[in-house]
Amino acid sequence: MVGRIALTKDLELGSTLPAILKIFIMTLIKQLIQKGILDKEKALIVEDESKSSDKKIEEIILDKNFVPEEILFRIKSQNLKMPLREVTPEDVPLKILELIPEESARYYKMIPLNRTDKILEVGMVYPEDLKTKEALKFLAREGKFSYQISLITLTSFSNILKQYKTLRREVSRALEELETELKTDKRKTLKASMVERIAEEAPITKMVAVMLRYAVDRNASDIHIEPTKEKLRIRFRLDGILHSSLFLPIKVHSAVVARIKILSNLKIDEARIPQDGRFSAKINERDVDFRVSTFPTTLGEKVVMRVLDPTHGLKDFEKLGLNQRDIKILKATIKKPYGLILSTGPTGCGKSTTLYTILQILNKEESNIITLEDPVEYFLEGVNQSQIRPEIGYSFAQGLRHMLRQDPDIIMVGEIRDEETAALAIHAALTGHIVLSTLHTTNVLGVIPRLIDLGVAPFLIPASLRLSLAQRLTRKLCVFCKQKKRPNLKIKQMIVKEMRSLPKSWQEKINFSDLWIWEPKGCKKCRQEGYVGRLAVFETLEMTNQLADVTLKEPSEVKIREEALRQGIITMKQDGIIKALRGETSIEEILRVAEEK
């Protein structure tokens, strides 16, 4: 193996590659090895995958997280003797994009950046590729412009590519088309007889498609379509916060709602009662699910669509935000043959995502996994998923009763919300099943008292309950603009107080005499918000012999807290402060989501 890597010049990168491109790739890999950025074993992996796939070398390296993108492209810039251009979507005028068609830009990974006089600056991810250069020459002849080439990263390219389809521009075009069709109808609302026909026609279908794609591109979790007196307001929930992004004429409200109902197989002519549905759409070459809820208001039907993108929703434990202590506890728990694992917290805190992550690990050929959900959020290959229907009497309790006749090994129940479901879940855990479910409590200390409130006998809890998790979602600081600063006296005292109650192994990692925190600033990459994305803060509580005694004798939160401290629990607030000290989020965010009220 060492011999293959030592002779980097002998890398077998595929016989179809042009000689010049082979030399460039070999030089790039050799430099990464010489600089100690890429070790020899990883270089071998890159070499082997390059021969068995159509991916570029850079894509393979980045997909496997072998080298940070910025470092990789800076070395590439030096090799090509070409400037590495740092550019954001906001820096690129929309008119400039029209000089290179979207299809060509996407295929050749090149995109127009700027134009001065008759010279067009073109950003390329692979300027060493002769086919790409030939394509640009052809486009330049057709468009009658000169050009100069700059190197850009894959991330910059992907972000700018989205500008081809901006929300306002595409919706405006669709509105213009619709106005042309409706120019003879001056009323504020469409005739009932016209709604279904209009909903199926190009302008409305295009308008709804643009909203869906915009939500996926921006990683929005929800789309809100809300009628007001004069306008139709479109809002997107980004990183947990709602943003008003678009206002449409109220005239199109009924047609937009009808279009969404058609996609979701809902009743178009029923606007008096709420309706629920879902549909799938192919966006950016991947299947995305949308969960739809309609709700009657005094001004018309309000629609909320939850975006369920599997590429963003399902993660591993580290990416969820679990610390190493909690990961160790959770992995040990799910290896046990039976028992109940409960995820707790308010609505929208990521409980279901955590359970799906556990299911991904447990999902093996030899296991029969059945879930009972309201609704099914993500489809998991190999898992039998069922959605409850309370309107026809198919509840969690009834579904769970029938699930136990299906010879399951692992059961997931969307929520324990009543005495019967709690009793059945405990019974299933006691009879040899792994049971996953959610419970609405503020923290892990309230899980046992809540189960007792639901009618579970205290003596059954120690034998069935294995682990309780509580979580909240907090916004992540933008890595491009976050600012480091010293905490003020009040914040410093709060941090020291919380961190001093941590186990000694954690305290040793913190320099209490030199504390720094981070705060949001705002830049183009985070839309001036200062935050991009979300991560969870957790706390976990195991069932131990000591906790079993507490449950049987005095199951109060005070006594449970004493046992939790003995276990070395890291509370959600402490977990959040640790993340804040690392620069992952801000103290303000932690106090907002994890402070005990």
Side-chain angles (χ1 to χ4, degrees), residues 82-85 113 121-125 127 148-152:
M82 182 179 291
L84 177 61
R85 184 81 148 78
L113 304 178
E121 182 184 8
V122 179
M124 286 188 179
V125 179
Q148 65 181 35
I149 299 171
S150 296
L151 179 67
I152 58 172

Side-chain angles (χ1 to χ4, degrees), residues 11 133 263 310 314 367 381 437 464 469 483 528 569 574 583:
L11 287 173
K133 286 186 175 179
L263 290 171
L314 302 181
S367 297
E381 189 70 32
S437 192
S464 55
L469 302 101
Q483 291 183 322
Q528 304 301 326
I569 188 175
Q574 290 170 336

Side-chain angles (χ1 to χ4, degrees), residues 371-386:
T371 74
L372 193 61
E373 304 172 57
D374 182 25
V376 175
E377 293 197 13
Y378 296 104
F379 292 107
L380 294 176
E381 189 70 32
V383 175
N384 305 287
Q385 297 171 268
S386 179

Side-chain angles (χ1 to χ4, degrees), residues 357-475:
T357 302
I358 297 171
L359 281 183
Q360 278 185 302
I361 295 172
L362 295 175
N363 188 8
K364 297 177 182 176
E365 180 67 29
E366 61 270 21
S367 297
N368 177 21
I369 303 177
I370 306 178
T371 74
L372 193 61
E373 304 172 57
D374 182 25
V376 175
E377 293 197 13
Y378 296 104
F379 292 107
L380 294 176
E381 189 70 32
V383 175
N384 305 287
Q385 297 171 268
S386 179
Q387 180 167 324
I388 69 164
R389 305 252 178 218
E391 67 274 13
I392 59 172
Y394 183 40
S395 63
F396 278 123
Q398 185 184 29
L400 185 50
R401 194 179 297 109
H402 287 281
M403 282 170 68
L404 294 172
R405 300 170 189 164
Q406 290 286 314
D407 187 30
D409 299 296
I410 300 158
I411 295 168
M412 186 178 95
V413 182
E415 184 184 344
I416 295 176
R417 59 174 69 153
D418 55 51
E419 183 177 348
E420 189 177 5
T421 307
L424 287 167
I426 293 289
H427 172 72
L430 288 171
T431 53
H433 304 90
I434 295 175
V435 181
L436 310 176
S437 192
T438 69
L439 198 66
H440 280 285
T441 64
T442 338
N443 51 38
V444 290
L445 306 180
V447 169
I448 291 172
R450 176 63 179 149
L451 288 174
I452 294 172
D453 287 344
L454 286 170
V456 178
F459 72 87
L460 293 175
I461 295 174
S464 55
L465 180 63
R466 295 285 192 193
L467 182 70
S468 305
L469 302 101
Q471 65 184 86
R472 299 286 188 280
L473 288 178
T474 176
R475 290 184 292 171

Side-chain angles (χ1 to χ4, degrees), residues 5 27 44 92 98 132 141 155 208 219-220 263 268 285 312 317 411 431 453 478 486 497 507 538 544 570:
I5 292 298
T27 303
L44 245 185
V92 181
E98 296 173 1
T132 301
R141 284 197 300 269
T155 299
V208 173
N219 297 328
L263 290 171
I268 298 175
E285 300 180 356
H312 293 291
F317 290 148
I411 295 168
T431 53
D453 287 344
C478 172
R486 295 281 188 186
K497 180 183 175 183
Q507 289 189 45
F538 288 90
T544 59
I570 297 173

Side-chain angles (χ1 to χ4, degrees), residues 43-77:
L44 245 185
I45 294 171
V46 172
E47 174 194 349
D48 290 339
E49 188 160 331
S50 70
K51 290 186 288 185
S52 60
S53 74
D54 295 328
K55 286 185 178 180
K56 302 277 190 180
I57 289 290
E58 295 90 334
E59 292 173 358
I60 297 170
I61 291 172
L62 294 175
D63 284 349
K64 296 186 176 299
N65 294 317
F66 284 167
V67 179
E69 184 181 55
E70 186 177 351
I71 293 174
L72 177 63
F73 276 83
R74 289 212 176 278
I75 292 175
K76 182 172 179 175
S77 170

Side-chain angles (χ1 to χ4, degrees), residues 503-520:
K504 286 186 179 179
S505 58
W506 283 89
Q507 289 189 45
E508 290 168 358
K509 300 175 185 177
I510 301 168
N511 185 352
F512 288 96
S513 62
D514 188 32
L515 288 176
W516 291 87
I517 59 174
W518 302 78
E519 63 179 4

